[in-house]
Amino acid sequence: MASSSTSSHFALASSSRSFKYDVFLSFRGVDTRKTFVDHLYSSLGRSLIITYKDDEALPRGESIRPSLFKAIEESRIAVIIFSKHYADSSWCLDELAHIMKCKEDDELVVIPIFYDVDPSDVRKQQGDFGIAFAQQEAQNINKAQLWRKALIDASNIAGWEPKHVANGHESRIIKEIVETIVHRLSPLNSEANEDLVGMKTRIQYLKSQLEIGLDGVRMVGIWGVGGGGKTTLASSLYMGISSYFEGHHIIENVREETSKHGLKKLQENILSAFSKTDVKVHSIDLGKNMIKCMLCRRKVLLVLDDVDDLSQLEALAGSHSWFGSGSRVLITTRDEHLLRTHKVDEVSHVRLLSDDEAMQLFNKHAYNKKEPVEDYETLSLRVVSYAAGLPLALKVLGSFLFDKDTKAWMSTLDRLKDIPETEIVDKLKISYDGLKVVEKELFLDIACFFRRWKKDEAMEILEACDFHPEIGIEVLRQKALVSIVDGRLDMHDLVQEMGHYIVRGKHPNNPHKHSRIWKSEDINNMCLGDATMVNENDRIEAIKFREYVGSQHRLQFCKIVSNLKKLRYLKVSMAPPEHVEGLTFLSNELRYIDCCGYPLRSPFPASFQPMKLVVLKLEDNFQKEVWKGCKHLPYLKVLELDRMKKLFRTPDFDGLPCLQKLTLFDCPMLEEIHPSLGSHKSLQYVRVYLCHKLRMFPTIVHMENLKTLDINYCGKIVVFPKIVKTRRQFLRSLPKLDLYTCHFKYAKIPSSMSITGLSNLQELSLESNDFSRLDFSLSQLTRLKLLNLSFCEKLLEFPKLPSSLTILNAVGCKSITTFGDCHKNCRWLCQVSLKEGSIISDGDKLLESMLETNDMDSQNDVFWEESDGNSVYMCTSMMYVSFGSLRQSVWWDQTYKALSFDTEERCEGFGVRLVEKKSRSGIKETPTIYSSGYTPTLNIRHESRSALSMYFSMPRTLKDVI
């Protein structure tokens, strides 16, 4: 544990002074206050440099104020801007004399700038500068000699002459001056920190978060992955700013020191450091009170490094009230949640090194000037790529490789593929060791199976495994073990490698003894060995296998799986074999099954009773039945049966009380869906697709939670599912109904007993059916937003449309020739599509109605398109653009007298007309549908004063706009 002293030369030399400012500006206001000094002050501020600039004019004859002397004494650097009238002010000369005294006594750094004045004129007091000085010399004979010496000494210091730098461009001169000051202030210049790379900007940012110089107490936390540079960043900043405070102390390795010596010892160290005496603490509670009493009126800096438990913060820096105004507490940890729980003022995530920074750091440790390695650049790039910006890995590997030859470098890189460096793993593993058991299991699953998966997709599996991933992933994120990037789970390469290392444990070459199997080479090695070995060590609980072309291990793999008694997660993807019969025994501990091509031919046996199973997905196998009779699976939520070539009936659903999602996709032999489905109360989503032999959907009785019913390409179903009317409430919540290509004929869709009773229906698709008309009105569907009647080629007329309708798709309705009055009450209709149909005789009437009923002030866009009946590539499109939607563009100008239009699309005709807004009588309605987003979107591609380019994006389904 480090004491309050440091090895920084700058900090030691300045330990007797308490700094409040980085820079003190001395200048003559009439010459430079509003020009050069103003620009310099602003630039210093942008670089997060605390600067003192006096903005009050001193009345002539009045002496300099004591506060200015104190400001000089509390500054680390004094910048003197000598100008023509600088010596005309006794105040400036008094400032100068005190600055030079502090330079001699306290090692104040002085930087002179000679603005429009020659240094020799200042040194010899000649020219305009000399004339100004002579006037003050005559009035202040007693001070003249002191001022003259100060002028000579200051002008002999190497400084800046703006007129001779950068061709006199002030902005470039000021940039150079500020960079020099930043360099002089930076703690990175000390010998102890000469190997730091990429820290300057990070230190400056963290320093800005501390808000040094302001009143009040501020706590700032740094968190991130182990080995990411948190300690280096905190200790470097500590060395650079400790002299700003009356007292300072740093405790390194709080986690480790607490486990070795206890919190009382750390409290004693804090008290002893600030009191300069040996202090003993008899209890933690007493220690808390002692720290508060000692520091509550003092301006101190306290750094707590590697904190891993809230009790440590409560014992060492309990609250803001423990410290005096101006105090700062800096905390490093791997746990973001700990910082937020302690209510620190700022939480800062440490950024890993960029590729360039990583290469610089690696070179400092690995490059051997005396014996350079052949092909060093290529080899070093491989190491830097492996380290992925982690400073610890770069230092450890760089130091290890420093004295190695090319063969040793190559061997090390090959070894790292399988065996990570122990020092790196041990550092990263600290975060893992602090997790709860369920969090450890969750982390290992993500590291082995789900890195870079979409979070939502992984959640289904992790929830099935009972890992409580919603809170668990957040804990892992806060401990910098997992991140969410663009909605996907991710982690640092070396953190993932650490997870793999933990799973392989003491038997890296024996996958039979691993808890998780995810590498194809491990599975191949298992298949080449004796599968009965698995019985000896019942360890494998999760396995993922993707068969590659040419694999000959299918049957052996199935035997291995049949022997895994504790298997909870099985994901298999293989080519469906024609003549291989896989074993049907599977572990009853399974919670998630996703098998594609697994060679199943017989139903699961009665002995297969996976009572914990949550998800069952079967694809491309040869089972005629999944299981016989009724199997009780109390937790099964998802059942997907895809491309089941021989399946002719579904399971009995009575034994699946929690089932929420059912998918039957491309099951060509399926003839029957068990009637129990229609009485299922938990189902929310049902999709039946490409089941060509299926003739009937079960009678719907109690499916009260159903939200989506999707029946597509089931050509033998010619009658809409019967809905029993005994409980009218049960299906009212259904928002989407898709009956695509079911070949319903002759109005075989029930009316009052079915669709018209679905009061919450928002999207209805009857696409590609054979009816000629709907013998019922849809006007009762008061929430319907989208109606899809596309490719209903025999449809002769539209039904009466509900007033809520926003989108009408009727592509390919070749028998429709008129709209009639079906749209009469449609207040919010904004998109109509009739492409690939016949000519509509009253299209203009529809468009006028859409323009009239849509509120012109709502800034919404009306879209209408129709075909010419001859080609799928030829159609008429009409759009309405409200000027209200263009008022915020650069192009908008109310003084325009004329407008010209053009189109980038290939078309045979193009016309424009302005439509005057028509006021409507009665109560104005609020366009709530539009506010939900069910409208085409106008997108401005380019805008300027002279031109505006825009295009429309048009939703085809509500999914496109939600």
Side-chain angles (χ1 to χ4, degrees):
M1 181 175 59
S3 66
S4 59
S5 62
T6 74
S7 59
S8 168
H9 173 73
F10 191 93
L12 283 173
S14 308
S15 59
S16 61
R17 301 175 60 203
S18 178
F19 293 113
K20 187 174 183 180
Y21 306 103
D22 292 321
V23 173
F24 178 95
L25 293 181
S26 176
F27 61 94
R28 184 71 170 103
V30 295
D31 290 339
T32 58
R33 183 187 303 279
K34 296 181 179 179
T35 53
F36 184 87
V37 169
D38 188 56
H39 298 153
L40 176 60
Y41 181 80
S42 297
S43 185
L44 289 168
R46 286 192 295 271
S47 296
L48 307 177
I49 295 172
I50 304 168
T51 306
Y52 182 93
K53 178 172 76 78
D54 187 76
D55 284 319
E56 295 183 20
L58 186 70
R60 183 170 293 276
E62 188 170 326
S63 61
I64 189 170
R65 289 178 290 128
S67 60
L68 283 177
F69 283 146
K70 188 177 183 204
I72 294 170
E73 294 162 4
E74 292 178 337
S75 299
R76 302 176 72 174
I77 295 176
V79 176
I80 308 166
I81 298 97
F82 288 115
S83 57
K84 289 181 179 180
H85 297 95
Y86 184 92
D88 187 40
S89 166
S90 60
W91 189 358
C92 288
L93 293 170
D94 283 340
E95 274 183 13
L96 175 64
H98 197 71
I99 286 171
M100 299 311 293
K101 181 179 182 298
C102 290
K103 178 182 180 298
E104 293 179 8
D105 296 344
D106 301 315
E107 298 186 358
L108 172 67
V109 176
V110 176
I111 299 177
I113 298 172
F114 302 96
Y115 187 81
D116 281 344
V117 64
D118 193 277
S120 64
D121 287 347
V122 176
R123 187 179 305 112
K124 299 176 182 179
Q125 298 91 53
Q126 63 187 15
D128 291 341
F129 191 92
I131 294 172
F133 179 76
Q135 293 175 357
Q136 285 299 326
E137 185 179 36
Q139 297 174 18
N140 298 276
I141 298 174
N142 295 333
K143 294 183 179 181
Q145 190 60 33
L146 180 63
W147 289 346
R148 191 182 299 277
K149 183 179 184 304
L151 287 168
I152 293 171
D153 292 342
S155 61
N156 283 327
I157 298 172
W160 297 81
E161 292 185 70
K163 63 183 179 181
H164 296 317
V165 180
N167 291 324
H169 293 284
E170 279 197 4
S171 61
R172 291 170 60 185
I173 297 163
I174 288 173
K175 182 175 182 295
E176 290 188 27
I177 293 172
V178 171
E179 287 176 352
T180 299
I181 292 172
V182 169
H183 185 72
R184 296 293 294 270
L185 289 171
S186 175
L188 300 180
N189 294 317
S190 66
E191 293 180 4
N193 294 294
E194 63 181 4
D195 63 335
L196 297 185
V197 174
M199 284 293 171
K200 286 187 179 181
T201 56
R202 292 167 174 82
I203 287 174
Q204 288 296 331
Y205 173 77
L206 192 58
K207 184 177 177 182
S208 71
Q209 301 302 307
L210 286 171
E211 298 182 357
I212 299 168
L214 298 182
D215 293 335
V217 177
R218 191 164 177 81
M219 294 186 181
V220 172
I222 313 171
W223 76 284
V225 66
K230 301 181 298 296
T231 299
T232 303
L233 179 60
S235 59
S236 298
L237 181 60
Y238 171 81
M239 288 189 290
I241 66 174
S242 57
S243 54
Y244 286 105
F245 300 88
E246 297 172 10
H248 47 85
H249 186 64
I250 180 171
I251 300 181
E252 295 178 337
N253 301 319
V254 170
R255 172 187 54 80
E256 184 177 343
E257 293 295 322
T258 301
S259 65
K260 287 182 178 178
H261 307 293
L263 286 172
K264 284 196 300 180
K265 179 61 177 177
L266 299 188
Q267 289 177 328
E268 289 174 352
N269 291 339
I270 291 175
L271 292 165
S272 298
F274 285 114
S275 66
K276 309 298 183 185
T277 59
D278 188 20
V279 179
K280 295 297 180 182
V281 173
H282 300 292
S283 72
I284 293 176
D285 287 338
L286 181 60
K288 293 178 183 180
N289 190 59
M290 292 172 68
I291 293 174
K292 180 179 180 180
C293 291
M294 180 181 290
L295 303 182
C296 66
R297 294 178 181 84
R298 297 179 63 183
K299 177 184 174 182
V300 299
L301 171 65
L302 177 63
V303 177
L304 303 175
D305 173 56
D306 196 19
V307 174
D308 74 336
D309 193 272
L310 187 61
S311 63
Q312 296 161 0
L313 290 178
E314 291 173 341
L316 305 177
S319 71
H320 291 65
S321 64
W322 285 23
F323 307 95
S325 181
S327 295
R328 298 295 182 261
V329 179
L330 186 60
I331 305 161
T332 75
T333 181
R334 300 164 187 245
D335 190 349
E336 180 193 16
H337 176 68
L338 187 151
L339 296 173
R340 299 197 182 281
T341 302
H342 197 57
K343 298 181 177 63
V344 302
D345 299 287
E346 192 70 35
V347 176
S348 179
H349 184 251
V350 66
R351 292 185 295 110
L352 298 183
L353 300 178
S354 67
D355 290 344
D356 288 341
E357 292 169 337
M359 183 59 74
Q360 291 178 48
L361 180 59
F362 180 71
N363 287 341
K364 282 184 175 293
H365 293 274
Y367 185 65
N368 190 336
K369 293 181 181 180
K370 294 182 180 179
E371 300 177 13
V373 174
E374 184 181 352
D375 204 15
Y376 174 84
E377 184 175 347
T378 301
L379 293 172
S380 60
L381 281 172
R382 288 179 60 185
V383 178
V384 168
S385 175
Y386 172 82
L390 193 72
L392 172 68
L394 293 162
K395 292 177 183 178
V396 170
L397 294 174
S399 300
F400 176 75
L401 293 168
F402 175 76
D403 57 352
K404 305 297 187 294
D405 59 18
T406 303
K407 289 183 179 179
W409 276 63
M410 297 289 289
S411 177
T412 300
L413 287 167
D414 290 339
R415 185 179 68 180
L416 287 172
K417 295 177 182 178
D418 301 313
I419 307 172
E421 194 66 32
T422 304
E423 185 178 347
I424 300 171
V425 170
D426 289 345
K427 188 76 171 180
L428 295 172
K429 193 171 175 287
I430 293 170
S431 297
Y432 171 84
D433 292 337
L435 297 173
K436 297 177 181 177
V437 173
V438 67
E439 294 162 354
K440 289 180 178 179
E441 295 298 312
L442 173 63
F443 167 75
L444 294 178
D445 262 22
I446 295 173
C448 295
F449 300 115
F450 306 120
R451 186 184 176 191
R452 298 192 179 96
W453 274 47
K454 289 183 178 178
K455 180 186 174 184
D456 293 341
E457 294 177 3
M459 290 289 282
E460 179 186 65
I461 302 172
L462 298 171
E463 286 175 351
C465 293
D466 203 27
F467 288 155
H468 308 285
E470 198 65 53
I471 183 61
I473 289 174
E474 178 61 13
V475 170
L476 296 180
R477 188 197 66 77
Q478 290 179 329
K479 290 183 179 291
L481 291 170
V482 165
S483 59
I484 310 296
V485 181
D486 296 329
R488 294 178 181 272
L489 294 173
D490 205 358
M491 62 179 61
H492 191 277
D493 292 345
L494 296 181
V495 172
Q496 182 182 37
E497 191 171 271
M498 179 263 292
H500 294 174
Y501 178 81
I502 292 170
V503 171
R504 292 193 296 265
K506 298 179 180 179
H507 308 280
N509 299 317
N510 187 355
H512 292 284
K513 295 186 178 182
H514 300 169
S515 62
R516 294 157 177 83
I517 308 293
W518 68 94
K519 288 187 175 182
S520 296
E521 54 265 36
D522 285 344
I523 293 175
N524 289 335
N525 291 335
M526 292 170 67
C527 291
L528 291 171
D530 185 358
T532 60
M533 287 178 61
V534 179
N535 290 328
E536 301 173 7
N537 296 286
D538 218 1
R539 293 285 306 277
I540 298 174
E541 59 184 63
I543 191 166
K544 177 182 178 182
F545 176 55
R546 182 179 181 86
E547 180 190 50
Y548 294 96
V549 177
S551 174
Q552 303 298 319
H553 304 312
R554 296 170 186 165
L555 185 58
Q556 187 72 352
F557 173 76
C558 294
K559 289 180 180 179
I560 291 174
V561 171
S562 69
N563 285 323
L564 304 180
K565 302 297 190 296
K566 292 186 177 181
L567 193 65
R568 58 172 170 81
Y569 170 60
L570 173 64
K571 184 173 177 63
V572 179
S573 178
M574 60 174 65
E578 293 293 335
H579 307 293
V580 176
E581 172 66 60
L583 300 178
T584 55
F585 174 82
L586 291 173
S587 167
N588 283 329
E589 296 296 314
L590 276 161
R591 294 172 177 270
Y592 189 99
I593 301 175
D594 184 354
C595 290
C596 175
Y598 195 81
L600 293 171
R601 294 182 180 276
S602 305
F604 288 116
S607 60
F608 180 52
Q609 296 290 336
M611 301 297 287
K612 302 173 185 177
L613 189 64
V614 178
V615 175
L616 175 58
K617 298 181 180 181
L618 301 176
E619 182 178 353
D620 271 339
N621 71 31
F622 299 92
Q623 288 177 299
K624 294 181 179 179
E625 296 180 88
V626 182
W627 55 72
K628 290 185 178 293
C630 182
K631 189 179 288 292
H632 183 57
L633 303 176
Y635 298 108
L636 189 69
K637 294 182 179 180
V638 177
L639 177 60
E640 293 186 8
L641 306 175
D642 293 354
R643 298 185 179 91
M644 304 279 281
K645 298 174 178 60
K646 303 293 184 181
L647 188 73
F648 71 90
R649 69 161 64 102
T650 67
D652 185 333
F653 297 99
D654 281 341
L656 314 176
C658 291
L659 191 66
Q660 297 177 6
K661 180 180 180 181
L662 172 67
T663 300
L664 303 170
F665 176 78
D666 194 11
C667 299
M669 306 300 291
L670 183 66
E671 297 180 357
E672 177 187 351
I673 296 177
H674 197 279
S676 60
L677 180 72
S679 300
H680 205 291
K681 297 181 180 181
S682 297
L683 268 168
Q684 299 178 16
Y685 175 94
V686 176
R687 186 189 187 210
V688 185
Y689 193 89
L690 283 172
C691 297
H692 299 299
K693 286 194 173 183
L694 186 64
R695 292 181 173 273
M696 184 178 295
F697 191 87
T699 300
I700 298 175
V701 183
H702 296 309
M703 301 178 75
E704 52 201 48
N705 288 304
L706 193 64
K707 291 181 172 58
T708 297
L709 177 58
D710 190 346
I711 304 175
N712 284 333
Y713 286 105
C714 299
K716 294 292 180 70
I717 297 182
V718 295
V719 178
F720 183 76
K722 182 179 179 182
I723 300 176
V724 176
K725 196 176 179 180
T726 54
R727 294 185 64 187
R728 295 182 61 97
Q729 299 290 330
F730 77 92
L731 261 183
R732 290 190 176 183
S733 62
L734 184 71
K736 179 182 178 180
L737 179 61
D738 190 344
L739 302 173
Y740 178 73
T741 315
C742 289
H743 301 293
F744 291 135
K745 301 177 180 178
Y746 315 116
K748 293 295 185 179
I749 301 177
S751 57
S752 60
M753 292 178 61
S754 55
I755 293 179
T756 57
L758 305 178
S759 58
N760 192 48
L761 198 65
Q762 299 178 42
E763 183 173 356
L764 173 62
S765 176
L766 300 173
E767 183 176 347
S768 298
N769 281 291
D770 296 333
F771 45 77
S772 58
R773 56 173 49 87
L774 294 176
D775 291 339
F776 59 89
S777 170
L778 299 177
S779 58
Q780 297 179 49
L781 303 178
T782 57
R783 302 190 67 183
L784 191 68
K785 309 262 190 311
L786 183 148
L787 175 62
N788 186 3
L789 296 170
S790 296
F791 300 105
C792 294
E793 297 183 355
K794 297 180 181 179
L795 184 64
L796 298 174
E797 63 181 8
F798 290 115
K800 186 177 181 181
L801 303 175
S803 60
S804 58
L805 197 68
T806 303
I807 302 169
L808 173 62
N809 285 338
V811 174
C813 293
K814 296 182 178 180
S815 300
I816 295 283
T817 59
T818 178
F819 277 105
D821 294 329
C822 69
H823 58 85
K824 186 176 181 181
N825 295 320
C826 294
R827 299 183 179 94
W828 312 119
L829 193 62
C830 65
Q831 178 180 332
V832 178
S833 182
L834 299 167
K835 292 190 295 186
E836 304 175 40
S838 60
I839 297 296
I840 303 297
S841 61
D842 52 358
D844 284 346
K845 180 180 177 182
L846 171 64
L847 182 61
E848 290 291 343
S849 174
M850 292 167 70
L851 292 172
E852 181 175 352
T853 56
N854 279 284
D855 185 357
M856 297 285 192
D857 285 337
S858 66
Q859 299 187 12
N860 292 304
D861 319 306
V862 175
F863 177 82
W864 172 53
E865 56 183 350
E866 70 173 45
S867 169
D868 69 350
N870 297 321
S871 170
V872 297
Y873 301 107
M874 299 289 289
C875 66
T876 300
S877 299
M878 296 188 184
M879 277 110 1
Y880 155 72
V881 181
S882 166
F883 275 123
S885 63
L886 306 177
R887 287 193 178 102
Q888 302 303 318
S889 68
V890 174
W891 169 83
W892 177 261
D893 189 339
Q894 294 188 23
T895 63
Y896 285 149
K897 300 297 184 182
L899 301 175
S900 62
F901 297 85
D902 195 5
T903 178
E904 295 180 1
E905 301 295 330
R906 186 177 65 181
C907 58
E908 295 189 3
F910 175 71
V912 176
R913 67 185 173 101
L914 300 179
V915 181
E916 183 180 1
K917 175 184 174 181
K918 298 179 181 180
S919 58
R920 289 179 287 174
S921 59
I923 300 174
K924 185 175 180 179
E925 301 183 22
T926 303
T928 55
I929 299 172
Y930 285 146
S931 63
S932 299
Y934 304 128
T935 66
T937 303
L938 174 68
N939 300 279
I940 295 179
R941 180 182 298 159
H942 169 77
E943 58 177 312
S944 66
R945 295 292 301 171
S946 59
L948 184 69
S949 174
M950 54 190 174
Y951 66 95
F952 285 84
S953 57
M954 297 156 288
R956 299 303 181 188
T957 68
L958 292 190
K959 185 179 179 181
D960 298 330
V961 296
I962 293 177

